[in-house]
Amino acid sequence: MSCSLPFAEPAPPANPRGLDWIDDPAEWAAFSRPSAEHGSGAWESSMAVEGITCAACALAIEDALRAVPGVLSAEVGAASRRARVVWRAGQVRPSQWLAAVRRAGYRGVPLADLALRAERRREARLVLWRWLVAGLCMMQVMMYAWPAYTTAPGEISADAQALLRWASWVLSLPVMLFSCGPFFRAALRDLRQRRVGMDTPVTLGILITFAISSWGTFEPGGIFGAEVYFDSLTMFVFFLLSSRWLETRLRERTGGALDLLLQRLPEGVERERADGGREQVAAHRVAVGDVLHVRPGEAFVADACILDGQTLVDEALLSGESRPVARGPGTAVLAGSYNLAAAVRVRVTAAGTDTRFAEIAALMDAAARSRPRLAQLADRIARPFLLLVLLAALGAALFWWRHDPGHALMVAVAVLIVTCPCALSLATPAAMLAAAGTLARRGVLVRRLQALEALARVDTVVFDKTGTLTRDALALGAVRTRAGVDRAQALAMAAALAARSLHPASRALAAAGRAGANEEHWQLAELVEEAGLGLRGRLSRNGWPWPGQLRLGSAAHCGVAAPPGAEMTVWLADDQGMLASFVLHEDLRADAAATVQRLARMGVAVQLLSGDAGAAVARVAAQLGIAQARGGCSPQHKLQALRTLQRQGRHSAMVGDGLNDGPVLAGADVSFAFGQSVPLAQAQADFVVPGGALMRVADTLALARRTMAVVRQNLAWAALYNAVSVPLAVAGWMPAWLAGLGMAASALLVVLNALRLSAALPAVDAAPVAVRLATGGA
């Protein structure tokens, strides 16, 4: 059925001026999910927090949230500007903990709020206007300050000099009253909370510079009348705003994978009513059993089964499949995947937090909020460092005061500005968020950012076999037949018998028969399955039955003498004896051998631990070139093997399918849950690879090593910058405008260096069509 009705925008919340609507339990599913960890009545909510400028802000918000009765836990990521709040419905309402965030001086917005995107666009425009005003005023003030730098003493009259100063003062007012607004608000908020944030020294520097320059303008003969610094003031405000604006843009690019994921779902969807009409409803109000109409270019808001229509679906981010897949009536589609080709009518099979999309979004949201060990160390250093900065500025001012009070205060300003630890705080989270975003676009979900640091040290990778190095299904190998029976005929007969059996060997034969596309068409007359042995049945073709009963299964079941040491073989026999034998083997993943070889080139040892029989494990290991392999391992045996590696000083990564390897994945230094069958919400792994590309393991290891190299470069740069700049500023050799430029450049360099990780992996997949559709590209 074609969707011909025009698309209608979803209605805004009933109360657009406030957030009272979020206290409605019917709305909670839009931004929350039940918390299994904390029991009945507990909810886990996600929100964006506006106004965060540093790690101290995140800690302050966490403290404010935890102080609210009924809030069980709170976690805030300074780099991602996201918060997770776990609360109990009977004890607190969402509006109450949002009010706590507001009282702390910040603005929390549920991720479901329809005004969030519009507010961010408005804020981005306002930042741009602040920057433009500062830049325009800076250029004019520099024109008025130029004569003071280029003329000899006495060449400018006192009246002309006073006029130029007053003109500079007037042009500095818009910078102070408008462009500096974010710095002043943040510092005032910190002052009210009795803490020191990164905007505190910046604000002090700006206010001191404006105060002494205004004093020199009003009283040219006074203590500060020798020189004014409006040019330095406007210049470093312009530099700071330039850095903040570029930093925000780059942050969105490096950490924007999560936003891109969460914005895949439309805000509204077209639902079919019982009378056959259609209505527009909010996406979070969709329930199991609803019939929806999805147009081309729209994302599916829930897991569903197609009722009518044929289309192509982009599932790249959900399943790792880079190419669009065909979907028709009776096939399943996943929430978050894009409908590319034609309108379809679907019935919802899973909605809300029960969908695979919701699990992936929860994993990525948790990763974006997590604080790696190095980032926590930098945050702990930043707080006392800011106090030392204030003391150093005070000491420098006292030292220089007896020589020139005006110069003394400007030395203090330079110290305040140049030592602001923005680069130090951004060094680790910027790099790790960039890496996590890059991996997400390649089909690898990072559950904990800390795991990137652990993965960079890995020197041994341990693989599970079934479902990891091999596919879940068996594959057909050699086929031998008796005289007078050709391969196609034997395979068609075996496939006809096996079609109704669920045994893995039967499924492999049935799949091989369908793939053969031969002209042999056999009809099944009767079938009996004997558990553990095989099948018995009768076949006919074009009305002519095959003489006697056919048997398919083990050698004993078919009455055949199997040669010693034979591979996994399925036999087909009739009353005269063997008709054919089919050798089955495990189907190795296409990139398994290449992955093992690449890990070896990276200096990583590869081992294979499996619960399967030793002979089967040895065959797979030989095919892949894995020297150390062991079969017959229970999950406890695998865990013991990993503990042995750790006692030997090795750093190991475990790669399993996540189905029965929970203890091993949790016990390894770092772990990967691999394959589409992984239960994402319960996975113990640090990385989840939903698709079928095993090479992603090697890609992730390579990116982790490069990420830690970037982190070390960033930390080294931040340390070197402060080691060089602080003595220059204290000695009075660094003017305030140069201090502002240096601070802005150091923070920007850290983010730009992290941005290199966004292109660190080779572009092996075609760019998803859905991304172009979502962003409005051609």
Side-chain angles (χ1 to χ4, degrees):
M1 181 179 294
S2 174
C3 297
S4 57
L5 293 180
F7 182 80
E9 291 290 336
N15 183 7
R17 294 184 299 274
L19 288 172
D20 296 338
W21 61 273
I22 67 169
D23 287 338
D24 182 0
E27 301 288 343
W28 291 350
F31 60 95
S32 307
R33 55 190 296 152
S35 176
E37 178 183 355
H38 293 83
S40 176
W43 288 80
E44 178 181 316
S45 300
S46 297
M47 65 174 171
V49 184
E50 304 296 331
I52 293 180
T53 57
C54 62
C57 299
L59 297 175
I61 297 169
E62 288 180 355
D63 293 340
L65 287 169
R66 290 166 183 162
V68 178
V71 173
L72 305 179
S73 67
E75 187 178 17
V76 182
S80 62
R81 300 180 183 179
R82 293 185 180 278
R84 167 184 171 268
V85 186
V86 180
W87 51 282
R88 196 166 297 281
Q91 301 175 8
V92 67
R93 296 189 304 274
S95 60
Q96 291 175 306
W97 46 259
L98 277 173
V101 175
R102 192 161 53 247
R103 286 193 298 271
Y106 304 88
R107 180 170 179 263
V109 183
L111 294 183
D113 191 356
L114 302 182
L116 177 59
R117 298 177 197 174
E119 174 65 20
R120 286 188 168 177
R121 288 194 295 267
R122 188 194 69 81
E123 184 64 28
R125 288 195 296 268
L126 187 58
V127 169
L128 185 60
W129 274 110
R130 295 184 196 278
W131 176 75
L132 290 173
V133 168
L136 179 63
C137 293
M138 176 195 68
M139 290 187 291
Q140 295 300 317
V141 171
M142 288 297 296
M143 289 177 58
Y144 297 146
W146 187 253
Y149 292 107
T150 58
T151 58
E155 289 186 4
I156 303 179
S157 66
D159 291 340
Q161 188 175 18
L163 180 62
L164 292 175
R165 288 188 177 188
W166 276 102
S168 298
W169 182 83
V170 170
L171 285 170
S172 298
L173 287 179
V175 177
M176 295 293 295
L177 299 176
F178 179 64
S179 297
C180 293
F183 309 128
F184 294 164
R185 282 196 299 271
L188 182 61
R189 180 184 61 215
D190 293 336
L191 182 63
R192 288 173 177 170
Q193 299 295 325
R194 297 180 181 178
R195 64 173 186 263
V196 178
M198 290 189 186
D199 282 322
T200 302
V202 170
T203 299
L204 280 175
I206 292 173
L207 291 176
I208 291 172
T209 304
F210 184 74
I212 63 175
S213 299
S214 299
W215 194 329
T217 301
F218 299 154
E219 294 186 12
I223 188 174
F224 299 120
E227 189 175 357
V228 295
Y229 304 94
F230 293 116
D231 54 337
S232 295
L233 168 68
T234 54
M235 190 177 296
F236 71 67
V237 169
F238 175 74
F239 289 151
L240 290 177
L241 288 174
S242 301
S243 172
R244 292 280 176 96
W245 181 71
L246 289 173
E247 179 187 318
T248 300
R249 295 296 301 270
L250 294 174
R251 189 201 304 264
E252 290 173 355
R253 181 174 176 183
T254 57
L258 176 59
D259 289 329
L260 180 62
L261 173 68
L262 295 177
Q263 293 170 9
R264 288 171 76 94
L265 295 187
E267 296 167 346
V269 66
E270 210 170 55
R271 182 171 64 185
E272 188 175 296
R273 296 195 301 265
D275 60 3
R278 303 181 193 176
E279 60 181 351
Q280 195 76 21
V281 297
H284 66 272
R285 292 187 178 272
V286 170
V288 174
D290 286 350
V291 176
L292 308 178
H293 293 258
V294 184
R295 298 173 57 178
E298 295 179 354
F300 295 96
V301 300
D303 293 348
C305 178
I306 294 181
L307 301 177
D308 299 301
Q310 295 276 353
T311 189
L312 293 174
V313 176
D314 172 25
E315 299 178 350
L317 193 58
L318 303 172
S319 66
E321 175 58 57
S322 61
R323 298 179 181 178
V325 292
R327 292 288 185 260
T331 59
V333 291
L334 300 175
S337 59
Y338 275 94
N339 179 23
L340 300 180
V344 292
R345 181 170 170 263
V346 301
R347 184 181 302 278
V348 175
T349 57
T353 58
D354 296 328
T355 64
R356 186 180 185 85
F357 172 85
E359 294 177 350
I360 291 176
L363 288 182
M364 295 183 65
D365 193 25
R369 291 191 311 271
S370 64
R371 286 198 290 268
R373 182 182 58 85
L374 288 175
Q376 295 175 17
L377 178 62
D379 295 344
R380 287 196 297 269
I381 293 174
R383 279 186 169 182
F385 183 77
L386 285 170
L387 294 175
L388 290 176
V389 166
L390 297 178
L391 293 176
L394 178 61
L398 293 176
F399 176 80
W400 285 100
W401 187 268
R402 63 180 183 271
H403 301 288
D404 182 352
H407 179 68
L409 290 179
M410 289 310 296
V411 168
V413 168
V415 173
L416 289 172
I417 296 296
V418 81
T419 54
C420 186
C422 294
L424 180 65
S425 294
L426 286 172
T428 299
M432 290 196 171
L433 275 178
T438 299
L439 289 172
R441 289 189 291 270
R442 303 295 181 182
V444 180
L445 307 180
V446 183
R447 296 188 74 236
R448 288 179 285 272
L449 291 181
Q450 178 66 38
L452 287 167
E453 183 180 352
L455 182 60
R457 298 193 301 268
V458 161
D459 53 23
T460 305
V461 175
V462 180
F463 285 98
D464 181 35
K465 181 175 70 69
T466 306
T468 304
L469 291 173
T470 66
R471 302 182 190 276
D472 295 331
L474 297 171
L476 179 64
V479 178
R480 293 184 289 271
T481 64
R482 78 183 181 197
V485 179
D486 62 22
R487 184 185 188 278
Q489 180 185 22
L491 182 57
M493 295 172 68
L497 287 169
R500 297 186 184 180
S501 172
L502 297 178
H503 192 278
S506 297
R507 292 203 301 267
L509 289 173
R514 290 192 297 270
N518 55 65
E519 298 180 358
E520 299 282 346
H521 297 290
W522 292 89
Q523 290 80 41
L524 186 63
E526 63 179 52
L527 181 70
V528 176
E529 184 167 3
E530 300 179 14
L533 295 175
L535 305 168
R536 296 178 182 270
R538 296 183 182 275
L539 296 177
S540 63
R541 184 179 61 179
N542 300 327
W544 293 91
W546 184 271
Q549 191 179 57
L550 293 167
R551 298 181 299 279
L552 180 69
S554 65
H557 177 67
C558 296
V560 176
E567 300 177 275
M568 184 187 303
T569 305
V570 177
W571 303 83
L572 177 65
D574 61 4
D575 295 340
Q576 300 178 24
M578 185 202 82
L579 271 171
S581 65
F582 306 93
V583 176
L584 300 179
H585 58 79
E586 292 179 293
D587 188 16
L588 290 176
R589 294 190 182 272
D591 57 351
T595 301
V596 172
Q597 293 169 7
R598 183 179 175 192
L599 289 172
R601 290 195 301 269
M602 295 169 65
V604 177
V606 179
Q607 297 186 14
L608 173 58
L609 298 177
S610 175
D612 289 355
V617 173
R619 281 196 298 269
V620 170
Q623 287 178 274
L624 297 178
I626 300 176
Q628 293 182 281
R630 188 168 67 179
C633 296
S634 66
Q636 290 73 23
H637 292 152
K638 295 179 183 179
L639 186 57
Q640 291 172 5
L642 290 177
R643 297 293 188 223
T644 301
L645 288 172
Q646 291 169 347
R647 285 193 296 270
Q648 295 172 353
R650 309 293 293 271
H651 298 280
S652 61
M654 178 69 197
V655 185
D657 59 10
L659 296 177
N660 57 1
D661 293 323
V664 190
L665 295 175
D669 295 311
V670 64
S671 53
F672 290 80
F674 191 82
Q676 296 187 28
S677 59
V678 175
L680 299 181
Q682 291 80 32
Q684 297 296 320
D686 301 299
F687 301 91
V688 178
V689 187
L694 198 62
M695 188 61 75
R696 292 292 179 260
V697 175
D699 288 341
T700 306
L701 176 57
L703 184 61
R705 291 179 174 180
R706 186 168 179 180
T707 300
M708 294 314 299
V710 168
V711 168
R712 288 190 292 270
Q713 292 167 7
N714 286 349
L715 292 174
W717 163 252
L720 178 63
Y721 161 75
N722 282 284
V724 172
S725 300
V726 173
L728 293 176
V730 172
W733 295 343
M734 180 176 287
W737 68 267
L738 185 57
L741 177 59
M743 192 206 77
S746 65
L748 189 58
L749 182 63
V750 163
V751 180
L752 284 172
N753 194 32
L755 185 62
R756 296 189 298 125
L757 296 169
S758 297
L761 292 183
V764 295
D765 296 336
V769 179
V771 173
R772 297 196 297 272
L773 290 171
T775 56

